[in-house]
Amino acid sequence: MTLPRFLQIHTLHNYPAALLNRDDAGLAKRLPYGDKVRTRISSQCLKRHWRVADDAFALSRLDVPMAVRSRETPRLIRDKLVAAGVAEPLAQLAVEGLRAAGLVDKAKDLKGKDALETGQAVLLGYAEIDYLVQRCAALAAEHGEEKALKAAIAGFLKEEKKNIEAMRLGSGLESALFGRMVTSDVLASRDAAVYVAHAFTVHEAQVENDYFTVVDDLLQEAGETGSAGIFDTELASGLYYGYVVVDVPQLVANLEGVAIKDWSNATPEQRALAGRVVQHLLHLVATVSPGAKRGSTAPFAWAKFMLVEAGDWQPRSLAGAFQNALPSSQPTLRKAAVQRLADEIAQMDAAYGAPLARRYLAVDDVQVPGAEQLPLTALAEWAQAAVMRAEA
């Protein structure tokens, strides 16, 4: 097949009695779609768990600089300066200078504790943080007076803005995958290379209010009745359809600094990291679950079905297969869901004739038009090869 511009990943995960993603009232997130209201898992929730997962295919095992998303990053920079031998008052002034110069936002004249916390979480790569610490430590050694130090930091940031922007993977692997939006005068925004849809149940929402009590061990031993507390929470069950798109040109550009217009001419060596990232990502999408109420629901599930499509056409979701919800009483719900997807693919192929190469994983005995069934390891390696070379 030709070198694909996009990889599309479709999944089905099923979870019983879980609260995977909550809204501001602590209830399961919902989505009205088609003829029924469904429960859903937000894309932010999914990306967060894939980003921080710690297993054999964790993103952190790719030997690529990672990032931290926090409101407390200025405090981290100050603490690193102190650890590097800068006196705490000077370290504080350095952070105030960074904030005044527009490092992460437009904030001006922040002092003390106010300078150590941003108004919203900001994603900074550890490489960027270490570089800022190194330069600020050197400037602090030269300038011991407040105005002089802050002026030196402002000058350094202005002069080296292009160098900071040009640091390959300086903003971390996370921003290379999922993007970074900043209002900074210094840091560069980055377009996402991985697009993630909200997952939703293929059937009507199945939600129950769970009433429970907390037993007081000491009261029980004293022979008293009652409990230490009475509570309730919402639990949901369902079979969720998930959809992820990997923009291969953007991924190669973000990882290697290759211009998007030249991505197809990138060497296999320049596409190698992108291929490994895709291999890891497929494992994470298949096996990593959201973790809300993990201690009381153990919401761990692997994909019961995963379809990967590679091609040059613009992506298209298969969510339309479930615009009319499947009956939750369907005796073979998973097979019925895969059949809906297969029918949607057949109809889309007939209408558009889009040439897509397909491979799929399934735990049930199902068929997908024009696709070969593979186990997860082989499926991930196929996707990796598709990104790295045309003859995959």
Side-chain angles (χ1 to χ4, degrees):
M1 72 179 180
T2 59
L3 191 62
R5 291 182 60 221
F6 298 100
L7 293 179
Q8 300 181 76
I9 306 167
H10 312 267
T11 59
L12 292 172
H13 283 81
N14 65 302
Y15 296 94
L19 186 55
L20 301 170
N21 198 198
R22 290 175 274 196
D23 63 16
D24 56 349
L27 304 177
K29 287 191 174 182
R30 288 167 168 78
L31 174 72
Y33 181 56
D35 57 348
K36 300 293 182 182
V37 173
R38 326 296 178 92
T39 49
R40 68 179 171 94
I41 311 170
S42 72
S43 58
Q44 192 76 353
C45 174
L46 293 167
K47 288 185 288 187
R48 164 70 182 174
H49 287 87
W50 299 337
R51 184 168 73 90
V52 302
D54 184 15
D55 62 17
F57 289 93
L59 296 177
S60 59
R61 295 194 176 221
L62 285 165
D63 296 326
V64 176
M66 300 294 285
V68 58
R69 184 189 301 276
S70 176
R71 296 176 58 194
E72 302 254 326
T73 307
R75 190 184 306 276
L76 174 63
I77 293 174
R78 185 204 62 182
D79 293 346
K80 281 180 171 285
L81 282 168
V82 172
V86 178
E88 187 168 338
L90 279 179
Q92 176 68 33
L93 289 175
V95 171
E96 292 174 6
L98 290 172
R99 296 297 305 277
L103 173 65
V104 295
D105 50 29
K106 303 292 185 180
K108 303 289 184 181
D109 301 323
L110 294 176
K111 294 184 179 296
K113 293 182 179 179
D114 292 339
L116 300 179
E117 185 176 295
T118 57
Q120 61 184 17
V122 177
L123 183 69
L124 262 76
Y126 281 108
E128 289 174 328
I129 292 171
D130 291 342
Y131 182 70
L132 291 170
V133 168
Q134 175 190 353
R135 292 305 310 273
C136 286
L139 292 173
E142 298 175 15
H143 307 279
E145 194 269 333
E146 178 178 354
K147 285 188 177 180
L149 177 57
K150 289 185 177 180
I153 289 174
F156 139 66
L157 288 178
K158 184 177 181 179
E159 293 171 4
E160 303 225 359
K161 177 181 177 181
K162 290 185 178 179
N163 290 339
I164 295 174
E165 289 181 354
M167 291 174 65
R168 189 177 74 83
L169 288 181
S171 56
L173 179 58
E174 295 93 333
S175 69
L177 295 181
F178 306 123
R180 178 172 74 175
M181 192 283 290
V182 294
T183 57
S184 166
D185 291 333
V186 180
L187 302 176
S189 293
R190 178 165 290 205
D191 291 333
V194 178
Y195 319 139
V196 182
H198 292 233
F200 65 90
T201 53
V202 302
H203 49 77
E204 186 176 10
Q206 295 177 311
V207 180
E208 180 176 81
N209 202 46
D210 180 36
Y211 167 92
F212 62 96
T213 64
V214 176
V215 175
D216 189 312
D217 292 338
L218 295 181
L219 287 178
Q220 289 286 312
E221 290 176 7
E224 297 186 28
T225 60
S227 66
I230 299 174
F231 306 92
D232 67 273
T233 188
E234 201 169 54
L235 296 178
S237 298
L239 179 64
Y240 291 79
Y241 168 72
Y243 178 57
V244 177
V245 177
V246 179
D247 183 331
V248 179
Q250 188 69 60
L251 182 61
V252 173
N254 286 355
L255 293 175
E256 298 292 345
V258 176
I260 291 182
K261 63 183 179 65
D262 298 325
W263 78 276
S264 60
N265 296 321
T267 65
E269 291 75 20
Q270 288 175 313
R271 295 196 300 270
L273 179 56
R276 290 174 59 214
V277 167
V278 165
Q279 178 195 29
H280 280 236
L281 183 63
L282 254 71
H283 280 269
L284 296 173
V285 171
T287 63
V288 174
S289 302
K293 292 189 71 68
R294 178 176 297 172
S296 57
T297 63
F300 302 111
W302 293 352
K304 299 304 185 291
F305 175 81
M306 171 180 272
L307 167 67
V308 181
E309 300 179 298
D312 195 49
W313 284 46
Q314 288 293 315
R316 53 89 185 97
S317 168
L318 298 176
F322 307 111
Q323 185 165 10
N324 293 323
L326 282 164
S328 55
S329 59
Q330 177 85 27
T332 55
L333 184 62
R334 293 200 311 240
K335 285 188 175 182
V338 175
Q339 187 60 54
R340 283 277 190 97
L341 291 173
D343 292 344
E344 185 81 358
I345 289 170
Q347 292 165 3
M348 297 289 282
D349 283 357
Y352 290 94
L356 295 172
R358 299 186 179 104
R359 301 290 187 274
Y360 72 98
L361 168 157
V363 298
D364 298 310
D365 183 15
V366 295
Q367 299 294 324
V368 177
E372 178 185 349
Q373 185 173 353
L374 297 172
L376 178 59
T377 298
L379 181 64
E381 289 175 351
W382 176 81
Q384 176 186 16
V387 172
M388 291 180 60
R389 59 183 184 273
E391 64 268 23

